[in-house]
């Protein structure tokens, strides 16, 4: 019996993390997505408890003080964090857990839980990234420009990740991430015979 693999998927806003991760958990059993807490306002169509736990700044602070988050980070003026209990319970049951979090969060988790697998999902190019962000139509021009600036800084940290997956097509990206999870779950250090 071995614990499930904890997998972080990071990458620039608009790279396709949400799309790829959603397809992955629909297609394969035994892989679950962790739901983060955030102080950001819900976007149209986002549902409490499914996409995020939308919380006030006070509630977020109290979660930090009570050590209820494995990691947390500020991104584009809002706070985001990963609730610890659901992640621990699932991985102890042998289920794989995906965290779709920013790169600062990925680096923090790896320090705390070194078995975590860090995957950087990159768009085929920065031009394609801008096209996808504009095509999604959920952010205004200023927010998009800010996110593109953040993307350039994120590329510098991608080298600290374990794997880089290019999201050229959703299907291929899903298969590559699934292959990584399968290989990592067979790692000798994770298995007690
Ligand atoms: P993220 O979660 O990384 O911010 P999204 O999953 O919201 O990104 O994707 C951003 C936009 O790009 C969405 O409109 C999505 O439909 C589109 N998209 C995602 N993956 C691909 C892909 N492989 N090819 C073309 N468009 C994509
Ligand atoms: P968005 O506002 O587009 O939903 O997310 C903005 C960024 O925050 C994305 O890069 C997303 O991956 C990241 N993010 C979402 N949840 C968490 C979390 O719990 N912790 C950290 N560190 N980043 C998160």
């Amino acid at each position: 019996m071995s614990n499930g693999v904890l997998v972080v998927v990071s990458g620039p806003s608009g790279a396709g993390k949400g799309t790829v991760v959603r397809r992955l958990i629909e297609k394969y059993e035994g892989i679950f997505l962790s739901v983060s807490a955030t102080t950001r306002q819900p976007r149209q169509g986002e549902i409490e408890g499914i996409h995020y736990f939308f919380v006030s700044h006070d509630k977020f602070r109290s979660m930090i003080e009570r050590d209820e988050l494995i990691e947390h980070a500020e991104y584009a003026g809002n706070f985001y964090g990963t609730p610890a209990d659901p992640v621990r319970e699932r991985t102890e049951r042998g289920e794989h857990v995906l965290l779709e979090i920013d790169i600062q969060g990925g680096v923090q988790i790896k320090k705390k839980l070194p078995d975590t697998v860090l995957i950087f999902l990159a768009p085929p190019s920065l031009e394609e990234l801008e096209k996808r962000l504009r095509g999604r139509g959920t952010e205004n021009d200023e927010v998009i420009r800010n996110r593109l600036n953040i993307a350039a800084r994120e590329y510098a940290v991608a080298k600290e990740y374990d794997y880089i997956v290019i999201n050229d097509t959703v299907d291929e990206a899903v298969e590559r991430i699934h292959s990584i999870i399968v290989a990592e779950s067979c790692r000798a250090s994770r298995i007690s015979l």
Side-chain angles (χ1 to χ4, degrees), residues 8-11 17 71-75 80 99-108 150 154 161:
V8 168
V9 178
S10 306
K17 300 179 296 296
E71 60 74 40
H72 64 275
E74 187 179 351
Y75 176 96
Y80 297 82
L99 306 182
E100 192 200 314
I101 66 176
D102 90 313
I103 214 151
Q104 312 164 61
V107 172
Q108 270 185 62
I150 295 174
E154 285 168 331
Y161 268 50

Side-chain angles (χ1 to χ4, degrees), residues 11 13 17 36-37 40 43 46 52 71-73 75 80-82 100-102 105 136 147:
S13 181
K17 300 179 296 296
S36 298
R40 154 163 97 56
R43 291 190 192 120
E46 284 185 332
Y52 281 106
E71 60 74 40
H72 64 275
Y75 176 96
Y80 297 82
T82 306
E100 192 200 314
I101 66 176
D102 90 313
R136 186 168 70 186
R147 288 186 171 213

Side-chain angles (χ1 to χ4, degrees), residues 130 133-134 137-149:
E130 182 166 358
L133 266 178
R134 293 196 187 282
T138 48
E139 280 90 6
N140 65 33
D141 215 53
E142 192 192 334
V143 172
I144 288 177
R145 268 203 305 275
N146 186 26
R147 288 186 171 213
L148 287 171
N149 281 333

Side-chain angles (χ1 to χ4, degrees), residues 75-143:
Y75 176 96
N78 296 302
F79 291 93
Y80 297 82
T82 306
D85 284 352
V87 169
R88 199 189 47 251
E89 285 159 15
R90 284 203 184 279
T91 51
E92 282 178 0
R93 281 204 294 268
E95 296 168 347
H96 306 309
V97 178
L98 289 179
L99 306 182
E100 192 200 314
I101 66 176
D102 90 313
I103 214 151
Q104 312 164 61
V107 172
Q108 270 185 62
I109 291 214
K110 186 84 175 183
K111 283 191 186 129
K112 209 161 168 177
L113 305 169
D115 278 351
T116 307
V117 177
L118 303 185
I119 302 177
F120 189 84
L121 186 72
S125 66
L126 283 175
E127 290 73 36
E128 174 65 18
L129 179 67
E130 182 166 358
K131 221 159 80 191
R132 287 184 190 175
L133 266 178
R134 293 196 187 282
R136 186 168 70 186
T138 48
E139 280 90 6
N140 65 33
D141 215 53
E142 192 192 334
V143 172

